[in-house]
Amino acid sequence: QVQLVESGGGSVQPGGSLRLSCTAAGIIVSITTMAWYRQAPGDQREWVATITGDGSTNYADSVKGRFTISRHNLRNILYLQMDSLKSEDTAVYYCSTNYGRNYWGKGTPVTVSS
């Protein structure tokens, strides 16, 4: 059974940094395409970044150059390093994968505010 558990969210001032983690069970992160999404209050869930099994990465234009998706193969963890955070990055962040069907974690909230 696939399980995804996000952690690392919190409150930070604009310009600050956070690193989100997604601990996976039931899949091998190093060979599975994984993604981060986010959902701001009142908005639809939007894609943030993807890392494929071969290590290729892609980012939404809104986070390109500020966010970095990566993984720890031995620990089976997906990361999202978020730098130069802006107020518009405030959202609940979810990790996701498609392994026969779409799987989602429960999310971790990020608030960027002065």
Side-chain angles (χ1 to χ4, degrees), residues 24-77:
I27 57 169
I28 301 173
V29 167
S30 64
I31 59 172
T32 305
T33 295
M34 305 287 296
W36 286 98
Y37 287 76
R38 67 185 181 187
Q39 187 167 15
D43 288 348
Q44 291 187 331
R45 193 169 297 188
E46 66 172 355
W47 169 73
V48 175
T50 297
I51 185 166
T52 64
D54 66 1
S56 299
T57 57
N58 282 290
Y59 299 90
D61 288 344
S62 59
V63 307
K64 199 172 294 183
R66 300 188 298 120
F67 289 12
T68 304
I69 189 171
S70 65
R71 60 196 178 201
H72 194 299
N73 294 343
L74 291 179
R75 296 179 179 175
N76 214 40
I77 297 176

Side-chain angles (χ1 to χ4, degrees), residues 95-111:
C95 68
S96 177
T97 190
N98 186 290
Y99 193 72
R101 68 169 180 87
N102 288 331
Y103 289 91
W104 299 88
K106 293 184 178 181
T108 185
V110 171
T111 301

Side-chain angles (χ1 to χ4, degrees), residues 15-31:
S17 298
L18 282 174
R19 188 178 77 163
L20 306 183
S21 300
C22 173
T23 301
I27 57 169
I28 301 173
V29 167
S30 64
I31 59 172

